[in-house]
Amino acid sequence: MALPIVAIIGRPNVGKSTIVNRLAETKDAIVHDQPGITRDRTYRNAYWQDREFQIVDTGGLIFDDETEFLPLIREQAMAALAEASVAIFVVDGQQGITGGDEAIAQWLRQQSVPTFLAVNKCESLTEGLSQAAMFWELGLGEPYPISGIHGNGTGELLDDLITRLPPIEEIPEINEIKVAIVGRPNVGKSSLLNAFIGQNRAIVSPISGTTRDAIDTVVERNGKTYRLIDTAGIRKKKNVEYGAEFFGINRAFKAIRRAEVVLFVIDAIDGVTEQDQKLANRIIEDGRACVIVVNKWDAVEKDSYTIYTYEQEVRSRLYFVDWAEMIFVSALTGKRVEKIIDLIDNAANEYERRVTTSVINEVLEEAISWNSPPTNRQGRQGKIYYGTQVTSKPPTIALFVNDPKRFPDNYRRYIQSQFRQHLGFKGTPIRLLWRGKKAREVEQNTVNRATRV
Ligand code: GDP
Ligand code: GDP
């Protein structure tokens, strides 16, 4: 269920993060980058009375000459506001109205999001009210005197704020494809991300994920939104903020878990290593779609056969992900980086595709007629009654059989490969659930299904 989003807006140093810390459940704020070019938007959960919401700190809005938004900052603020149900505009009560406040207020007045004007640093009850009163001038309605540090005034603000939050059922789920970029250190994950962003004018903003160990970048492309979960981006700050253990395989595992499609990056010079195989295994265990990206292709000596032989070699070392598409790119030169998006789209589509029960059973019938289930020593044969796709993401097919123990691994692999061959599902794992069922139940079930149709 999506939570309504409350955007905190204001100049640097007015106390935005202090306020977020006070309102949010947990105190572990994600530390900001320096103001300017790219910065993180941080989402934190908060609640007041019976309403839950997320607070997003947009970072300081800065201006080139005190009155003009820097274009990039404006874009980011727009993006933050676009998804927000309510905005809190924070100003500094001790400093009074600045040109920057006026510029933000003017901009906010043109937006359709309900805005609350929080006059911060009003810890003195007597002075607070008169400090706050000055801000009526901004034309944003009643100023709320508050103190982020001491907490006074925040209750009144929140009381009014939650009345403006939309009912839960009206909040649209954000429709985006979650993509994790994983690979060993130095394979070029950050370079790839940068190459992407460089070529994507419509970047919305780098966003900090809900967990502090992955930085998400949201990009828009052909009307679709991709959340790139980067396991490398944070590295630049690692020695300062986080311990080194943070950057090991566990971060990659977490990113895989949050993703729908995994961009599995391999270094063309090193080829597939043991660590790569571990990562690939995890992708399958977690049932995520996958695109294999062989990076640094520019650095490989090539003749006309190399791509083919190279691909064969990678595939033989990663035979267990033979369903994944592979692309050879160079993050350095940008070559083919754009094409990755198409492969992500394909994989994401297959990942959530559903096939009908009749198609599944056609495949099953055909498969069984070529190669029937084995008979055990007691002369009992495995029997598959029918199959049906029970879920997607990844596509999962339940097979109802007389006794799962009668189906050895090699026969299971055979059925799996038949599904793969006939149903496609390129780019995603297929899961098979072998379920034991009494013949009578199956009949009953079939009748029920037939009457429903
Ligand atoms: P941000 O840049 O808008 O996120 O501002 P910060 O939350 O980092 O706060 C900027 C400065 O204002 C810090 O030195 C805070 O200690 C101070 N500050 C924040 N809230 C209050 C407050 O309610 N009263 C006073 N007096 N100072 C505050
Ligand atoms: P990460 O640790 O996976 O994020 O890797 P980086 O993006 O930091 O890249 C590691 C090193 O590989 C850097 O020195 C990059 O310049 C280099 N690199 C990244 N992509 C390419 C590429 O496509 N070709 C070449 N030749 N070098 C690359």
Side-chain angles (χ1 to χ4, degrees):
M1 184 66 73
L3 290 175
I5 292 173
V6 174
I8 306 269
I9 287 174
R11 292 181 296 110
N13 277 317
V14 294
K16 292 182 303 302
S17 34
T18 308
I19 293 170
V20 170
N21 277 332
R22 179 157 290 283
L23 304 184
E25 282 166 14
T26 51
K27 303 281 180 204
D28 56 342
I30 296 156
V31 181
H32 286 293
D33 290 326
Q34 68 278 27
I37 323 310
T38 48
R39 53 163 44 253
D40 312 340
R41 284 212 306 263
T42 68
Y43 290 83
R44 311 261 305 272
N45 286 338
Y47 62 92
W48 185 248
Q49 295 175 12
D50 61 345
R51 286 311 307 267
E52 242 188 298
F53 49 93
Q54 279 196 319
I55 308 178
V56 53
D57 184 349
T58 57
L61 297 184
I62 52 169
F63 303 85
D64 45 6
D65 61 359
E66 266 292 300
T67 50
E68 275 295 306
F69 277 121
L70 291 174
L72 191 66
I73 300 288
R74 170 191 285 269
E75 241 168 69
Q76 285 175 14
M78 291 290 277
L81 215 56
E83 60 179 21
S85 301
V86 171
I88 300 177
F89 174 28
V90 183
V91 293
D92 184 332
Q94 295 185 356
Q95 196 181 4
I97 296 176
T98 70
D101 292 336
E102 278 167 355
I104 297 170
Q106 192 197 359
W107 174 71
L108 276 173
R109 286 197 304 268
Q110 293 158 7
Q111 314 301 316
S112 54
V113 180
T115 300
F116 288 84
L117 178 58
V119 183
N120 192 34
K121 310 195 184 178
C122 292
E123 22 297 317
S124 154
L125 286 180
T126 44
E127 281 168 47
L129 281 175
S130 59
Q131 279 168 0
M134 298 186 292
F135 288 87
W136 276 103
E137 241 176 71
L138 291 179
L140 287 168
E142 184 187 349
Y144 290 76
I146 69 165
S147 167
I149 284 188
H150 293 138
N152 44 292
T154 52
E156 286 83 349
L157 173 65
L158 289 174
D159 281 345
D160 292 348
L161 184 145
I162 56 170
T163 65
R164 303 300 298 270
L165 295 178
I168 288 280
E169 56 279 7
E170 281 173 24
I171 301 156
E173 286 284 346
I174 298 166
N175 198 3
E176 60 185 13
I177 302 175
K178 296 190 198 66
V179 183
I181 306 175
V182 305
R184 290 179 298 109
N186 282 317
V187 294
K189 296 181 294 297
S190 340
S191 309
L192 260 180
L193 182 73
N194 289 337
F196 257 131
I197 295 169
Q199 293 174 20
N200 280 276
R201 299 270 113 179
I203 167 153
V204 177
S205 169
I207 297 179
S208 294
T210 42
T211 52
R212 53 194 283 166
D213 50 4
I215 294 229
D216 298 1
T217 304
V218 174
V219 297
E220 268 174 18
R221 210 47 213 297
N222 308 322
K224 280 191 232 164
T225 308
Y226 303 85
R227 175 179 289 249
L228 303 174
I229 305 165
D230 171 27
T231 54
I234 279 186
R235 221 166 37 131
K236 311 291 178 261
K237 325 187 221 172
K238 72 173 165 191
N239 297 326
V240 196
E241 286 175 42
Y242 310 104
E245 77 280 6
F246 223 66
F247 300 89
I249 204 150
N250 281 335
R251 287 193 51 225
F253 286 175
K254 279 192 194 167
I256 290 171
R257 182 140 292 176
R258 285 182 56 215
E260 284 148 353
V261 180
V262 178
L263 285 190
F264 177 31
V265 186
I266 287 170
D267 186 321
I269 303 160
D270 299 349
V272 178
T273 69
E274 222 169 280
Q275 272 177 302
D276 289 324
Q277 288 175 320
K278 249 187 221 163
L279 273 175
N281 257 320
R282 179 55 78 112
I283 296 167
I284 295 177
E285 277 166 27
D286 284 348
R288 299 307 194 253
C290 178
V291 174
I292 302 172
V293 179
V294 181
N295 187 36
K296 310 195 188 178
W297 193 241
D298 59 285
V300 170
E301 293 270 347
K302 314 172 198 46
D303 56 59
S304 52
Y305 295 101
T306 312
I307 259 207
Y308 178 74
T309 43
Y310 196 99
E311 170 155 0
Q312 292 309 307
E313 199 174 308
V314 173
R315 290 228 178 258
S316 73
R317 308 241 335 153
L318 293 175
Y319 61 92
F320 45 98
V321 271
D322 57 357
W323 41 264
E325 290 197 78
M326 194 180 298
I327 184 166
F328 294 77
V329 307
S330 167
L332 199 66
T333 67
K335 190 146 183 156
R336 280 190 292 270
V337 167
E338 277 296 281
K339 293 228 160 65
I340 298 175
I341 287 275
D342 297 333
L343 299 190
I344 293 174
D345 283 347
N346 292 348
N349 285 339
E350 293 296 285
Y351 189 58
E352 53 185 315
R353 188 159 66 88
R354 283 175 179 273
V355 293
T356 62
T357 300
S358 64
V359 166
I360 286 173
N361 287 292
E362 257 169 57
V363 175
L364 271 178
E365 243 169 71
E366 177 85 4
I368 293 168
S369 69
W370 282 105
N371 183 3
S372 52
T375 307
N376 68 9
R377 277 199 211 121
Q378 289 76 38
R380 296 198 187 94
Q381 196 183 15
K383 213 171 151 43
I384 303 177
Y385 302 121
Y386 73 99
T388 184
Q389 183 175 350
V390 285
T391 59
S392 60
K393 298 185 164 193
T396 304
I397 297 170
L399 296 173
F400 296 97
V401 303
N402 57 348
D403 180 1
K405 288 201 280 297
R406 286 184 205 158
F407 295 87
D409 283 348
N410 63 357
Y411 195 78
R412 292 181 182 210
R413 274 197 300 273
Y414 165 70
I415 295 292
Q416 171 97 28
S417 73
Q418 291 296 304
F419 279 130
R420 180 63 75 188
Q421 208 173 313
H422 296 286
L423 304 180
F425 285 126
K426 189 97 188 133
T428 170
I430 303 174
R431 277 193 173 156
L432 295 187
L433 308 174
W434 295 78
R435 296 263 164 85
K437 207 156 191 184
K438 302 243 158 53
R440 213 174 336 117
E441 285 176 60
V442 172
E443 259 164 46
Q444 192 56 44
N445 210 318
T446 317
V447 172
N448 287 346
R449 277 189 306 128
T451 46
R452 245 187 286 142
V453 172

